[in-house]
């Protein structure tokens, strides 16, 4: 099961992912991100503190937006991942393509450094 909560902090949208992202619910994550892109969000922070698991389908959602984020100058930062979930990003090399930080404060620093 996945729950997505959206909050605004300063000029950034934070999507908090709670539970698991897998093939059965990755479309919910996709819809949430697509909505933010359509709303012209300039920085999207993904709070992974409540994320217990992410499948390749969930990772694919993030991958599918990387080019569009670059074209539209949207900053994406993921933070608060457990060691287990962060390891999945690392094994697939996604930590080289996606900015991953440990804390919300570090994530916000990335946004405001741009």
């Amino acid at each position: 099961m996945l729950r997505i909560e959206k909050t605004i902090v300063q000029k950034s949208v934070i999507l908090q992912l709670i539970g698991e992202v897998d093939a059965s619910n990755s479309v919910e994550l996709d819809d949430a991100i697509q909505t933010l892109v359509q709303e012209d969000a300039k920085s999207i922070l993904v709070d992974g503190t409540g994320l217990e698991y992410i499948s390749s389908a969930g990772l694919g959602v993030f991958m599918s937006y990387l080019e569009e984020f670059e074209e539209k100058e949207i900053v994406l930062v993921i933070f608060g991942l457990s060691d287990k979930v962060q390891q999945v990003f690392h094994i697939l090399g996604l930590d080289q393509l996606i900015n991953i930080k440990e804390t919300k404060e570090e994530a916000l620093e990335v946004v405001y450094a741009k």
Side-chain angles (χ1 to χ4, degrees), residues 16-60:
Q16 183 177 15
L17 307 182
I18 302 160
E20 300 180 352
V21 180
D22 57 27
S24 70
N25 61 24
S26 62
V27 68
E28 295 173 39
L29 176 59
D30 188 51
D31 289 345
I33 294 173
Q34 185 62 45
T35 298
L36 296 179
V37 170
Q38 290 170 347
E39 293 173 351
D40 291 326
K42 289 299 171 196
S43 61
I44 300 171
L45 305 182
V46 178
D47 180 347
T49 55
L51 185 61
E52 299 164 12
Y53 169 83
I54 188 163
S55 71
S56 57
L59 295 169

Side-chain angles (χ1 to χ4, degrees), residues 42-43 73-77 99 108-114:
K42 289 299 171 196
S43 61
E73 298 182 357
I74 297 171
V75 177
L76 171 68
V77 185
N99 210 332
L108 286 167
E109 285 176 19
V110 171
V111 170
Y112 294 105
K114 299 282 179 196

Side-chain angles (χ1 to χ4, degrees), residues 45-49 75-82 86 95 98-111 113:
L45 305 182
V46 178
D47 180 347
T49 55
V75 177
L76 171 68
V77 185
I78 300 173
F79 69 91
L81 297 176
S82 69
Q86 189 161 354
D95 57 340
I98 298 173
N99 210 332
I100 299 175
K101 297 294 179 188
E102 292 203 13
T103 66
K104 178 166 69 174
E105 292 72 28
E106 290 174 336
L108 286 167
E109 285 176 19
V110 171
V111 170

